[in-house]
């Protein structure tokens, strides 16, 4: 317990705090795990001080799309390894996807994941439940369970068995429940019809975006928006990859939010396939530079709501299988922030826009109650970054159980040097501090979860 004579448990001094109302050079006082004060605090009594002079103090980064593979595929990742990687990358909160084995489609499967958090998660965490043709009605109550981040729906099949491809089932999911539905938008019928394009022996991974083409993504997004509109159901389109979808999303701004990934903003075809081979294979695919440029434009003009990593670990042995037997997905939770800070350094977006995309944006989209902003009353989740720090990313630095990164060899400029989780210094100078203290967190009251 804090003695009555002490004002704060921790004061972060002298950093530049990126708040919703601007970047301020100010101290930040933490009490009982929350931000209690912003302003000059030099005369106040604190148990601990963190000197942030010369550093930027950001709200704890929220990665709202990660696949941690537990239960069932722990050789690729676990909640322990995935959240440790996240924290080393300056991410303090993750929303985890349901395509595990078994998939998270029932109260029991969600309860099983929740039971795996205490003492093992290094970040705060919540879990999506997966939509299926069979559980559409049950989703209305499932989505309100504590620890549930919302509903995830796969319109096209990717890793795992989750799929809602027919219109009646899609309609059923959209009708039941109220929370925003997170959608993987690729059109299953078109993917099936075009699968022959990659089935000839010797087909190279360069064919991946030809098979899973622009039209596959556009058709699914169109259909999703049309059905969601009928019920006024809010949706969040994950990992948008095409210029064409952006126009649609602009039209449906009152209904739909959307995400782009650092991979789609950084890599482009065909170069990524030439240098990375199947390591660059993901769904929806990395496409040509014209799409990447359109995504950047959407970032700059305020259309994009969220940047999420779509951290999708597979082992190097699995990725080395000949295409198309190689699984789709790249890890990214540990590199999300440094890669995006490098884009800030190179002038592609401002630091405050980045904070919007990786903190306040995900909090707004999913209704996370006390995270995503530096403000009094918020959880004291803080990511401290050195915008000048240059680091060469390597496979060896990655804490993910999969042990590799598509950004191996890249020099990043801007790096997380510390992270506070609800007021405790949980990462400092590339090391985790103390045992894992991650917890399940609360969403806004009206959403019924938390
Ligand atoms: O490439 C992908 N991999 N896209 C997804 O949507 C799923 C993910 C995975 O879980 O491996």
């Amino acid at each position: 317990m804090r003695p009555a004579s002490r004002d704060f448990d921790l004061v972060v001094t002298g950093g530049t705090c990126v708040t919703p109302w601007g970047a301020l050079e100010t101290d930040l006082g933490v009490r009982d795990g929350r931000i209690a004060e912003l302003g000059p605090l030099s005369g106040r009594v604190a148990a601990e001080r963190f000197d942030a002079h010369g550093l930027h103090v950001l709200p704890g980064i929220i990665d709202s799309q990660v696949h941690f593979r537990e239960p069932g595929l722990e050789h690729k990742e676990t909640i322990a390894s995935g959240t440790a990687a996240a924290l080393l990358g300056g991410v303090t909160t993750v929303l985890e996807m349901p395509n595990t084995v078994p998939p998270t489609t029932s109260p029991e499967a969600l309860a099983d994941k929740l039971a795996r958090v205490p003492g093992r998660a290094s970040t705060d965490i919540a879990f999506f439940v997966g939509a299926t043709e069979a559980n559409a009605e049950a989703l209305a109550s499932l989505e309100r369970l504590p620890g549930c981040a919302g509903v995830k729906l796969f319109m096209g099949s990717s890793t795992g068995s989750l799929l809602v491809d027919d219109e009646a089932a899609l309609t059923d999911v959209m009708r039941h429940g109220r929370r925003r539905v997170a959608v993987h938008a690729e059109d299953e019928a078109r993917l099936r019809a075009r699968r022959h394009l990659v089935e000839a022996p010797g087909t190279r991974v360069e064919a991946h975006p030809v098979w899973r083409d622009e039209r596959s993504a556009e058709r699914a997004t169109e259909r999703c928006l049309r059905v969601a509109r009928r019920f006024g159901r809010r949706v969040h389109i994950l990992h948008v990859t095409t210029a064409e979808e952006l126009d649609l999303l602009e039209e449906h701004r009152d209904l739909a939010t959307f995400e782009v990934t650092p991979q789609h903003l950084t890599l482009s075809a065909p170069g990524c396939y030439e240098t990375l081979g199947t390591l660059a294979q993901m769904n929806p695919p990395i496409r040509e530079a014209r799409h990447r440029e359109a995504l950047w434009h959407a970032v700059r003009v305020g259309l994009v709501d969220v940047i999420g990593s779509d951290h999708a670990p597979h082992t190097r042995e699995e990725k080395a299988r000949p295409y198309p037997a190689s699984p789709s997905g790249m890890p990214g939770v540990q590199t999300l922030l440094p890669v995006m800070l490098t884009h800030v350094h190179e002038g592609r977006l401002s630091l405050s826009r980045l904070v919007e995309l990786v903190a306040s944006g995900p909090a707004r989209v999913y209704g996370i109650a006390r995270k995503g902003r530096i403000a009094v009353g918020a959880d004291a989740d803080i990511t401290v970054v050195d915008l000048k720090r240059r680091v060469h990313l390597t496979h060896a630095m990655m804490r993910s159980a999969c042990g590799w990164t598509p950004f191996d060899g890249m020099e990043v400029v801007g790096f997380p040097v510390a992270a506070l989780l609800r007021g405790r210094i949980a990462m400092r100078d590339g090391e985790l501090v103390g045992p894992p203290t991650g917890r399940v967190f609360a969403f806004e009251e009206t959403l019924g979860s938390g």
Side-chain angles (χ1 to χ4, degrees):
M1 273 305 285
R2 173 172 34 91
S5 58
R6 188 191 293 165
D7 296 315
F8 301 108
D9 301 320
L10 174 78
V11 170
V12 179
T13 58
T16 304
C17 293
V18 180
T19 73
W21 56 94
L24 317 170
E25 208 164 291
T26 183
D27 300 334
L28 179 158
V30 173
R31 205 157 47 223
D32 298 329
R34 296 212 171 126
I35 299 173
E37 192 79 61
L38 291 171
L41 302 175
S42 56
R44 310 284 289 278
V45 185
E48 197 179 357
R49 286 181 189 271
F50 182 100
D51 180 2
H53 284 87
L55 302 173
H56 282 72
V57 177
L58 315 183
I61 304 305
I62 301 173
D63 188 346
S64 50
Q65 193 190 176
V66 301
H67 302 264
F68 283 165
R69 314 300 193 197
E70 181 180 347
L73 299 164
E74 287 90 343
H75 67 288
K76 297 177 196 263
E77 198 74 287
T78 63
I79 289 171
S81 62
T83 55
L87 195 55
L88 291 172
V91 169
T92 55
T93 297
V94 294
L95 308 190
E96 206 267 344
M97 288 294 162
N99 56 334
T100 42
V101 182
T104 322
T105 53
S106 65
E108 295 74 27
L110 177 62
D112 173 73
K113 279 195 174 173
L114 295 175
R116 295 166 186 266
V117 171
R120 296 183 63 236
S122 289
T123 65
D124 281 2
I125 187 165
F127 299 98
F128 283 96
V129 291
T132 68
E133 302 202 353
N135 75 354
E137 231 178 294
L139 289 171
S141 57
L142 257 174
E143 68 168 16
R144 297 175 67 83
L145 292 173
C148 179
V151 173
K152 164 76 181 280
L153 186 149
F154 283 89
M155 293 179 75
S157 45
S158 190
T159 300
S161 57
L162 288 173
L163 180 65
V164 177
D165 59 339
D166 100 8
E167 177 112 0
L170 179 64
T171 305
D172 236 18
V173 173
M174 294 295 176
R175 279 173 45 206
H176 292 100
R178 297 177 45 209
R179 293 181 74 176
R180 195 178 283 278
V181 182
V183 179
H184 179 120
E186 287 186 285
D187 187 84
E188 183 67 14
R190 187 171 171 92
L191 297 182
R192 284 199 190 134
R194 294 171 67 80
R195 173 81 192 183
H196 67 275
L197 294 172
V198 293
E199 270 171 352
T203 303
R204 293 159 57 94
V205 66
E206 277 81 350
H208 196 58
V210 179
W211 165 34
R212 304 180 85 110
D213 68 345
E214 287 92 336
R215 192 68 196 123
S216 307
E218 196 190 0
R219 260 173 66 152
T221 293
E222 257 166 26
R223 187 146 71 106
C224 172
L225 293 171
R226 177 167 48 74
V227 176
R229 175 69 66 193
R230 279 179 56 200
F231 303 101
R233 187 72 187 265
R234 295 170 308 146
V235 291
H236 181 65
I237 311 292
L238 298 163
H239 40 44
V240 167
T241 56
T242 71
E244 291 78 5
E245 286 166 285
L246 297 171
D247 296 335
L248 276 171
L249 289 160
E250 186 180 340
E251 267 169 54
H252 292 270
R253 198 99 183 95
D254 58 332
L255 190 75
T257 51
F258 71 99
E259 172 200 73
V260 298
T261 75
Q263 300 88 295
H264 292 106
L265 290 170
T266 308
L267 308 174
S268 65
C272 67
Y273 300 111
E274 284 156 15
T275 52
L276 293 168
T278 52
L279 295 183
Q281 176 191 336
M282 69 173 293
N283 302 330
I286 308 289
R287 307 189 191 280
E288 304 100 68
R290 96 170 164 91
H291 294 291
R292 185 182 59 185
E293 294 323 308
L295 296 177
W296 271 117
H297 179 74
V299 166
R300 274 193 296 273
V301 299
L303 195 57
V304 179
D305 296 281
V306 166
I307 290 178
S309 74
D310 189 15
H311 178 79
H314 300 283
T315 65
R316 276 199 259 189
E317 295 69 36
E318 290 163 342
K319 290 292 262 182
R321 288 182 202 139
Y323 181 81
S326 43
S328 291
M330 298 181 219
V333 72
Q334 193 176 340
T335 51
L336 165 76
L337 182 60
V339 167
M340 290 311 303
L341 287 173
T342 306
H343 287 304
V344 170
H345 173 76
E346 289 171 357
R348 293 196 185 89
L349 78 171
S350 68
L351 184 62
S352 61
R353 178 69 173 126
L354 176 59
V355 165
E356 191 176 31
L357 290 163
V358 295
S360 52
R364 168 175 56 82
V365 162
Y366 290 112
I368 300 172
R370 287 188 184 269
K371 297 185 186 291
R373 47 198 261 138
I374 290 187
V376 165
D379 282 351
D381 296 346
I382 303 286
T383 300
V384 183
V385 299
D386 180 347
L387 294 181
K388 297 201 189 78
R389 178 81 61 97
R390 289 175 184 265
V391 175
H392 272 99
L393 298 180
T394 62
H395 294 316
M397 288 167 61
M398 297 299 123
R399 186 63 69 96
S400 164
C402 79
W404 63 276
T405 167
F407 300 112
D408 178 67
M410 175 178 176
E411 186 190 54
V412 292
V413 186
F415 208 75
V417 295
L420 273 60
L421 183 63
R422 283 174 277 98
R424 185 183 77 79
I425 300 172
M427 185 278 282
R428 193 163 198 168
D429 298 326
E431 302 286 340
L432 302 181
V433 181
T437 53
R439 290 206 300 235
V440 167
F441 57 90
F443 291 82
E444 289 167 4
E445 280 294 341
T446 51
L447 301 174
S449 149

